[in-house]
Amino acid sequence: FLTGFVFIRLWGTQAAIYLAVVANLGLAVAFVGLHALAGRGEAAADEPADEPAVEPALGRARLGPLLTAVAVSGFVSFSYEVLWTRLLALVFETTVHAFSVMLTTFLLGLGLGGALAGVLMRGGAKRGYWRLYGYLEALIGLCGLASIPLFLPPPFGYSSFAELTLLQFVRSAMIMIVPTTLMGAAFPIA
């Protein structure tokens, strides 16, 4: 809501994306820091060798910052939806097609990311999930930053509206699929 009604109006689309990037990178630093704090209290020598290591339960001191970080992450993800729809509206010259491409790609990415999170968690990422979450947020921010110049106007030389739409859909989806997959993986890992 804030992105669509306040941030874009005050600062423009590009500055709003930069704000989302800064928020993602801030989350990355916070979660890598949480991982470091959680690791300090553990003594590796006390753990039995045959049992898998388990992250300590969250205390009240960590729960607040964790919930705040996840809320900010959700806000930033929603902001990307609004911002990408706005950029795609310039590419497609219609908001209906822009929103359709964005939503299709976003939902596909969330689904792929959820599956990726399952693989990562089964593969031993449980030990460092806060750090992994931080890295995912950093990658989301970098993908958001990289996406700005990639939303280009339609190319010349297409033979039909259907060809142009398909070309723009594929190109736009390729730009958004990586960050949306990372977003889909980040939520279950948090």
Side-chain angles (χ1 to χ4, degrees):
F1 181 82
L2 285 175
T3 301
F5 288 92
V6 179
F7 296 161
I8 292 174
R9 185 174 184 184
L10 289 176
W11 305 309
T13 303
Q14 193 168 1
I17 289 177
Y18 287 133
L19 178 63
V21 167
V22 168
N24 278 124
L25 295 177
L27 287 168
V29 169
F31 273 89
V32 170
L34 276 172
H35 175 77
L37 287 174
R40 277 190 200 161
E42 297 178 16
D46 294 339
E47 294 180 21
D50 57 341
E51 298 216 5
V54 177
E55 197 76 26
L58 284 175
R60 286 186 183 260
R62 292 188 186 134
L63 185 58
L66 176 66
L67 291 176
T68 301
V70 171
V72 169
S73 177
F75 170 77
V76 170
S77 295
F78 182 68
S79 295
Y80 280 124
E81 287 185 47
V82 172
L83 295 163
W84 284 332
T85 299
R86 186 169 171 98
L87 289 171
L88 287 170
L90 298 173
V91 170
F92 281 100
E93 299 177 357
T94 171
T95 55
V96 172
H97 294 125
F99 184 75
S100 297
V101 169
M102 182 283 305
L103 188 60
T104 301
T105 305
F106 212 91
L107 293 176
L108 177 63
L110 292 179
L112 291 172
L116 176 64
V119 169
L120 290 172
M121 297 306 280
R122 281 190 298 276
K126 290 179 185 175
R127 178 88 176 122
Y129 66 93
W130 286 340
R131 179 179 44 210
L132 177 58
Y133 187 80
Y135 291 157
L136 288 171
E137 288 296 331
L139 288 171
I140 293 166
L142 293 174
C143 287
L145 184 62
S147 75
I148 295 170
L150 299 177
F151 288 97
L152 303 171
F156 295 102
Y158 52 90
S159 61
S160 68
F161 178 75
E163 182 184 336
L164 171 66
T165 302
L166 180 62
L167 176 69
Q168 289 298 96
F169 178 85
V170 169
R171 191 173 77 177
S172 300
M174 288 175 62
I175 294 167
M176 294 182 296
I177 197 68
V178 173
T180 56
T181 299
L182 295 171
M183 289 173 198
F187 184 72
I189 288 173

